Amino acid sequence: MLVAVQDWGTGFRQISAWILTHAILPVERVLQQVPAWAILVLTGLLAWWGQRRFFPVLLYVGGLYLIGAMGLWDKLMQTFTLVLVATVFSVLIGVPVGIFSARSRLLRKVLTPVLDVMQTMPSFVYLIPVLMLFGLGKVPAVLATVVYAVPPLIRLTSLGLRQVDKHVMEAAQAYGVTRWQMLTKVTLPLARPSIMAGINQTTMMALSMVVVASMIGAQGLGEDVLAGIQTLDIGRGLQAGVAIVILAIVIDRISQSFGRSQRHRRKVRRQA
């Protein structure tokens, strides 16, 4: 590791600067410039579109409003930026790897022990290599979060694609579809609930790294939790902890609602 830092340290710093300036900071600026009421309205619309029930929508919007009332809105946006960027990177990595894993038994055999290690290793361990390679700040926090959060998405994407009905695939082949059409128009749509469940789990695991990532310079709600622990300020730590829980519930429920099949969502809308 020390040899890699000495030989390729400049390259790693350039990669870190590019991710910071082109991915993390632009998203954070946009979220902080958007009025709080607009984000609350957007949250309510997404929740209503996915669930079509008034009471959950009121709870989600009210929970985010409570975070703003506690004076933690800017830190909430910083935390959401880290979770959002880490989730996007995880999707860009996890979905293609899951697709290749579903098609290759050899790749699954190679990936299985690797994913097992990634999921069972304590999250603090991921901070050591990224800290040595990229230093302190938001970039190593995002990269450590991606390593920690991507395994469930790879597993569930591969599982969902392998569980697609063979008869449906044979019928599609009978109509002369190409491999790309088979993937984009048949297997991926049918595996969407499983893939969305993987994205949901990845997002939750990314959010669970918020406090850990604050130890290497990531700002946000985790920073307040860590400061509350270090200074024994129970109120400060409790406020930030409650805000993290509220954000986790909102993200979890909304992402779950979009992960359900279209048939189930139409049934919920008819009942509503």
Side-chain angles (χ1 to χ4, degrees):
M1 184 64 72
L2 292 176
V3 175
V5 173
Q6 293 174 356
D7 294 343
W8 304 318
T10 302
F12 285 122
R13 285 192 294 271
Q14 291 176 349
I15 294 173
S16 176
W18 188 91
I19 295 175
L20 183 65
T21 56
H22 291 84
I24 299 176
L25 292 181
V27 174
E28 185 175 317
R29 292 193 195 101
V30 170
L31 289 176
Q32 289 182 338
Q33 290 174 359
V34 174
W37 62 265
I39 294 179
L40 294 178
V41 170
L42 179 61
T43 302
L45 292 175
L46 289 174
W48 177 257
W49 187 17
Q51 298 188 358
R52 290 301 177 97
R53 290 185 295 173
F54 179 74
F55 185 67
V57 174
L58 184 62
L59 285 180
Y60 304 154
V61 175
L64 294 181
Y65 178 82
L66 178 63
I67 296 175
M70 292 188 294
L72 297 174
W73 188 262
D74 288 339
K75 292 184 179 295
L76 173 67
M77 293 299 102
Q78 292 173 350
T79 297
F80 185 65
T81 298
L82 293 178
V83 174
L84 180 61
V85 173
T87 302
V88 170
F89 283 165
S90 298
V91 170
L92 293 177
I93 297 171
V95 173
V97 173
I99 292 172
F100 287 117
S101 175
R103 293 184 173 182
S104 173
R105 182 176 300 178
L106 176 61
L107 181 59
R108 286 200 302 274
K109 290 182 178 180
V110 174
L111 281 178
T112 297
V114 176
L115 296 177
D116 290 340
V117 172
M118 291 171 67
Q119 286 189 287
T120 56
M121 188 175 292
S123 56
F124 290 94
V125 178
Y126 296 117
L127 302 182
I128 299 173
V130 296
L131 187 61
M132 294 181 64
L133 295 174
F134 298 97
L136 296 171
K138 298 180 179 181
V139 174
V142 168
L143 296 179
T145 301
V146 170
V147 175
Y148 179 71
V150 76
L153 180 56
I154 296 176
R155 290 183 185 274
L156 288 171
T157 299
S158 176
L159 179 64
L161 291 172
R162 285 185 284 116
Q163 288 182 338
V164 173
D165 193 345
K166 302 296 183 182
H167 298 292
V168 175
M169 297 177 63
E170 291 174 358
Q173 289 175 347
Y175 283 97
V177 299
T178 63
R179 295 185 65 181
W180 177 252
Q181 290 173 333
M182 176 70 76
L183 176 66
T184 57
K185 297 183 181 299
V186 180
T187 55
L188 280 180
L190 291 175
R192 188 173 68 90
S194 180
I195 296 173
M196 288 301 298
I199 294 176
N200 174 266
Q201 292 300 310
T202 294
T203 306
M204 292 298 100
M205 293 183 71
L207 190 55
S208 70
M209 282 286 288
V210 167
V211 179
V212 178
S214 66
M215 299 176 63
I216 57 174
Q219 300 174 340
L221 297 171
E223 186 180 29
D224 275 18
V225 175
L226 185 62
I229 295 173
Q230 292 173 340
T231 61
L232 297 180
D233 189 344
I234 299 176
R236 182 179 182 182
L238 183 61
Q239 278 187 342
V242 170
I244 292 174
V245 171
I246 292 173
L247 179 61
I249 292 173
V250 172
I251 294 176
D252 179 58
R253 296 299 185 268
I254 293 178
S255 60
Q256 278 188 7
S257 66
F258 283 97
R260 301 189 183 101
S261 64
Q262 293 184 357
R263 181 181 300 177
H264 184 275
R265 290 168 62 186
R266 285 196 296 265
K267 180 179 178 182
V268 171
R269 292 173 181 175
R270 285 197 299 268
Q271 292 176 351

